[in-house]
Amino acid sequence: MQKSLPLSEKESQDQEACRPAAEDSKLEPIFMQNPDGSLVCLAPPGWKIPSPPSSPRLSTRDLMRPLFDNAVSLEDTESVYRRHELFFFLLLLFEGSVELAFHAVFVERADQAIKLVSQNFSHIPLPVLWWIFWGLATAELMYGGLYYILGIVCVQKNRPRIYKWFGTVALGGLLGQVVLAYMNACNVLVLLLRLSAYVYSGFLRNLLQGMTLLPAP
């Protein structure tokens, strides 16, 4: 016949058997719903209700500050921006020199361009084609002045809004270069350079907007 243990020893054995499970489990409060729809919070001993957020509430910059504590600093981002800004300025200089050279070739080969267009549009008189040619050449020069002035202002002012204006003007120039490419195939290179400047300006604009979210040192 098996000898029965005292009640106290059984309770101690049960407590020792359940102790690892209790230690491994994480005690968290649970919520139960009563039949009337009300909720009851069942919390373990020693659990405290978290304190509410302070008033006034933190701003968006203060809330995002912990995200940037271990991220890149404002100085690092600014140095990256300065390097890309220099590349953007060099791109504008290279594009301007190429565009001036191609514009000179465009004017020098005006007779060939007019002859090529007159063969496809024979119903248009030659004087009208010459007026269109010089009108397009003048419009391109005026546009180039606005385009490069905005580019220089972007580098000097470092404002996202100015980069947006530059991108809008560059996009209009892209459409204009598509029309002029029919009369001068050399404009294809200018089209690619202008497209690069348009994409680069959008990148610098987004970089400037991101720098405004970084916490000040």
Side-chain angles (χ1 to χ4, degrees):
M1 182 174 184
Q2 184 180 3
K3 183 179 179 180
S4 59
L5 297 175
L7 183 60
S8 59
E9 294 182 2
K10 287 185 178 181
E11 292 178 352
S12 62
Q13 290 179 358
D14 294 340
Q15 291 178 358
E16 292 178 356
C18 297
R19 186 174 301 168
E23 291 177 354
D24 296 338
S25 61
K26 184 179 179 181
L27 298 179
E28 295 181 354
I30 60 176
F31 293 88
M32 299 184 63
Q33 185 176 8
N34 295 324
D36 59 353
S38 60
L39 296 177
V40 177
C41 177
L42 302 179
W47 184 81
K48 297 181 180 180
I49 300 177
S51 58
S54 59
S55 180
R57 300 296 177 87
L58 298 177
S59 62
T60 304
R61 182 182 296 272
D62 295 331
L63 292 175
M64 296 185 67
R65 185 179 296 273
L67 299 178
F68 297 103
D69 287 343
N70 298 325
V72 294
S73 61
L74 182 61
E75 292 81 2
D76 296 336
T77 308
E78 187 175 358
S79 63
V80 172
Y81 170 78
R82 293 302 178 187
R83 289 197 297 268
H84 285 288
E85 183 185 45
L86 178 60
F87 294 155
F88 176 72
F89 181 70
L90 294 177
L91 176 62
L92 288 180
L93 290 180
F94 179 71
E95 181 186 357
S97 60
V98 171
E99 190 168 356
L100 285 177
F102 282 173
H103 193 74
V105 174
F106 179 63
V107 174
E108 184 180 358
R109 300 177 56 183
D111 295 335
Q112 298 180 6
I114 293 299
K115 290 180 181 179
L116 180 61
V117 175
S118 62
Q119 292 177 0
N120 297 324
F121 300 95
S122 57
H123 60 282
I124 301 179
L126 285 179
V128 176
L129 291 178
W130 278 107
W131 276 104
I132 295 175
F133 174 84
W134 290 115
L136 291 176
T138 305
E140 187 176 4
L141 286 177
M142 295 176 62
Y143 167 81
L146 176 63
Y147 175 83
Y148 290 106
I149 288 175
L150 275 179
I152 295 174
V153 173
C154 288
V155 176
Q156 290 181 348
K157 298 297 183 180
N158 300 322
R159 296 290 186 271
R161 182 176 57 181
I162 303 178
Y163 276 105
K164 182 179 180 181
W165 295 345
F166 177 84
T168 303
V169 174
L171 183 60
L174 289 174
L175 300 178
Q177 288 296 326
V178 172
V179 177
L180 293 178
Y182 182 79
M183 302 184 67
N184 189 2
C186 296
N187 284 332
V188 176
L189 180 58
V190 179
L191 176 65
L192 295 177
L193 291 175
R194 191 159 294 170
L195 178 61
S196 302
Y198 170 75
V199 175
Y200 217 154
S201 65
F203 168 74
L204 291 176
R205 177 193 173 196
N206 294 332
L207 190 59
L208 278 175
Q209 290 177 345
M211 289 172 59
T212 58
L213 299 177
L214 293 175

